[in-house]
Amino acid sequence: MFNIYFKIKFGSLIALLIIPTAIPEGGKYQYPWLEQISRQEQLMLGCDNISKMSRSFNTSSLDHILVDHKHKLLYCYVPKVACTNWKRVLMVLTGESNATNLIDIPASLAHSENSSLKLSQLDLPQAQSCLKDYTIFLVARHPFERLLSAYRNKFMDSLPSSKYFQSRYGRHIIRKYRPHATISDIKSGANVTFREFVLYLLKEGAFSNEHWTPIYNLCLPCSLNYTFIGHYETISEDAKTILNMVGAPPITFPVTRYGHTKERLKYYFQQLSIHDIKALYKLYEPDFKLFGYGLEDLLGYDLA
Ligand SMILES: *[C@@H]1O[C@H](CO)[C@@H](O)[C@H](O)[C@H]1NC(C)=O
Ligand SMILES: *[C@@H]1O[C@H](CO)[C@@H](O)[C@H](O)[C@H]1NC(C)=O
Ligand SMILES: *[C@@H]1O[C@H](CO)[C@@H](O)[C@H](O)[C@H]1NC(C)=O
Ligand SMILES: *[C@@H]1O[C@H](CO)[C@@H](O)[C@H](O)[C@H]1NC(C)=O
Ligand SMILES: *[C@@H]1O[C@H](CO)[C@@H](O)[C@H](O)[C@H]1NC(C)=O
Ligand SMILES: *[C@@H]1O[C@H](CO)[C@@H](O)[C@H](O)[C@H]1NC(C)=O
């Protein structure tokens, strides 16, 4: 099945015609490969349309890619897209953890600086050879859902980590983007509204923190040759497939709750003007285009 991939990579439309008959019959689990092919095609077409100027990369730009030498697997982690669970999986795959139940690995441990080896820690020739030989994947998510999830998690939840975001970003956002902010509002940095957060991004860019930096900039999907594009919406099936591809031991990927996201998205985006939504779309346009997301659900029509 893997040679299918190479055909996809080179954009052969013939692959589209061959694959349906190439899918093995009677297997106990069948992954929807046609969907994966169309994700790859989407990425390729999107990348063709993006300036080729910025395709080069250096080792430090590979700091979101985690390495499992044992299974020849590279994972580009994207915050707010089930990355805690994938980091836990990587820890088990690399032998960094002996947990039999992934949930037993504390999130703080999974996120600790040294829980996994990063590709940026290798020297460039080594990194390049991994990029050439290993299976490399990322998991994408609707850019606005990811953004809203970051906002709610960092500016609304009363977690210890939200305290950091409130003081590091909240104070600045309130001072600059809330008219008539009181000194005590500014001092606390708490209760940044979604609209204030969006105004901040529109004015200052989306690169100040990995939780809202576009996937395009975190994972360099147009510079590296991704072998698999996961989607948050299909994370369990995708995880099964990836783990199967690299011959991993049986690992059950934890179920990710996928609750009232669409309704929630509408609720928050109603607070923005259409002008702001369009500007925000522009900011995340590569993620929308490369990973096949749109705004139909939100607006009733698409901006593209
Ligand atoms: C490529 O960009 C042009 C102009 O920006 C646009 O009209 C076209 O639809 C894009 N094509 C794809 C495949 O995104
Ligand atoms: C690596 O590339 C990034 C983006 O292209 C650039 O900003 C950075 O300065 C480069 N780092 C080094 C050490 O060359
Ligand atoms: C995992 O288990 C093995 C064998 O019991 C032990 O040698 C190793 O130190 C354990 N590793 C971790 C990270 O706990
Ligand atoms: C990571 O850091 C923790 C705490 O400093 C340490 O216990 C653990 O052994 C380290 N793991 C690796 C792989 O270096
Ligand atoms: C933020 O909102 C919470 C809940 O509404 C409230 O208890 C708290 O006092 C607010 N903080 C500030 C600084 O306004
Ligand atoms: C991706 O594939 C192309 C075409 O085979 C190759 O030229 C390029 O070097 C590859 N990029 C990386 C980072 O391996």
Side-chain angles (χ1 to χ4, degrees):
M1 207 182 296
F2 294 119
N3 62 1
I4 289 170
Y5 269 111
F6 295 103
K7 290 189 181 131
I8 300 164
K9 289 244 142 222
F10 299 108
S12 161
L13 282 173
I14 294 163
L16 278 173
L17 303 173
I18 303 173
I19 273 108
T21 57
I23 291 172
E25 297 290 330
K28 57 186 181 313
Y29 171 71
Q30 291 202 357
Y31 185 77
W33 288 102
L34 278 177
E35 169 64 22
Q36 182 57 220
I37 290 162
S38 93
R39 289 180 193 174
Q40 297 273 358
E41 290 258 340
Q42 180 101 33
L43 178 60
M44 236 172 18
L45 292 174
C47 288
D48 282 348
N49 223 8
I50 285 179
S51 156
K52 297 209 164 44
M53 303 288 282
S54 50
R55 294 286 162 94
S56 67
F57 58 89
N58 53 41
T59 44
S60 64
S61 41
L62 304 175
D63 68 337
H64 272 67
I65 299 178
L66 308 181
V67 185
D68 168 16
H69 284 308
K70 206 162 141 197
H71 300 89
K72 300 194 168 195
L73 181 64
L74 302 175
Y75 162 53
C76 181
Y77 77 92
V78 177
K80 306 320 297 170
V81 193
C83 84
T84 309
N85 282 336
W86 264 114
K87 284 179 172 179
R88 288 173 167 139
V89 171
L90 265 279
M91 287 179 75
V92 170
L93 290 179
T94 57
E96 190 63 34
S97 166
N98 280 340
T100 48
N101 190 348
L102 287 178
I103 294 296
D104 294 342
I105 303 174
S108 58
L109 187 61
H111 288 298
S112 70
E113 216 25 64
N114 68 350
S115 73
S116 301
L117 180 67
K118 291 177 173 170
L119 200 53
S120 55
Q121 291 170 276
L122 307 183
D123 59 34
L124 192 56
Q126 250 186 318
Q128 272 166 335
S129 123
C130 293
L131 284 168
K132 201 157 131 281
D133 296 336
Y134 289 11
T135 299
I136 174 169
F137 77 101
L138 60 77
V139 188
R141 183 179 184 182
H142 190 291
F144 285 175
E145 282 183 17
R146 177 171 166 246
L147 186 66
L148 184 57
S149 171
Y151 165 75
R152 287 173 52 86
N153 181 228
K154 300 307 177 194
F155 294 105
M156 289 180 68
D157 289 352
S158 46
L159 305 166
S161 71
S162 334
K163 282 272 167 289
Y164 164 79
F165 278 79
Q166 286 164 16
S167 91
R168 172 73 180 77
Y169 300 101
R171 289 175 184 176
H172 170 78
I173 293 173
I174 291 173
R175 187 171 56 77
K176 283 196 76 173
Y177 301 101
R178 179 177 301 174
H180 319 298
T182 65
I183 302 285
S184 78
D185 283 348
I186 294 171
K187 256 198 173 142
S188 104
N191 299 350
V192 167
T193 68
F194 185 57
R195 179 146 197 281
E196 288 162 355
F197 176 57
V198 167
L199 291 179
Y200 159 73
L201 297 174
L202 294 183
K203 195 81 184 166
E204 304 186 29
F207 308 104
S208 54
N209 187 280
E210 62 171 13
H211 288 82
W212 48 80
T213 297
I215 298 176
Y216 174 69
N217 302 89
L218 295 178
C219 295
L220 316 177
C222 295
S223 310
L224 311 178
N225 298 319
Y226 278 88
T227 31
F228 193 96
I229 305 298
H231 277 190
Y232 189 70
E233 296 78 9
T234 53
I235 194 148
S236 304
E237 300 97 298
D238 290 349
K240 223 184 264 182
T241 306
I242 292 160
L243 292 170
N244 195 32
M245 277 169 75
V246 299
I251 292 177
T252 306
F253 194 85
V255 175
T256 305
R257 267 194 321 121
Y258 191 65
H260 308 286
T261 322
K262 294 259 184 294
E263 291 78 8
R264 194 179 276 159
L265 201 64
K266 280 191 177 158
Y267 171 78
Y268 280 93
F269 276 75
Q270 271 164 11
Q271 302 164 20
L272 306 179
S273 69
I274 186 69
H275 173 268
D276 289 344
I277 294 177
K278 280 183 176 168
L280 198 59
Y281 177 86
K282 263 284 176 248
L283 204 51
Y284 288 90
E285 189 168 23
D287 286 6
F288 276 104
K289 291 266 175 76
L290 299 177
F291 305 116
Y293 291 105
L295 289 179
E296 298 90 339
D297 284 350
L298 188 62
L299 298 177
Y301 59 93
D302 205 5
L303 287 179

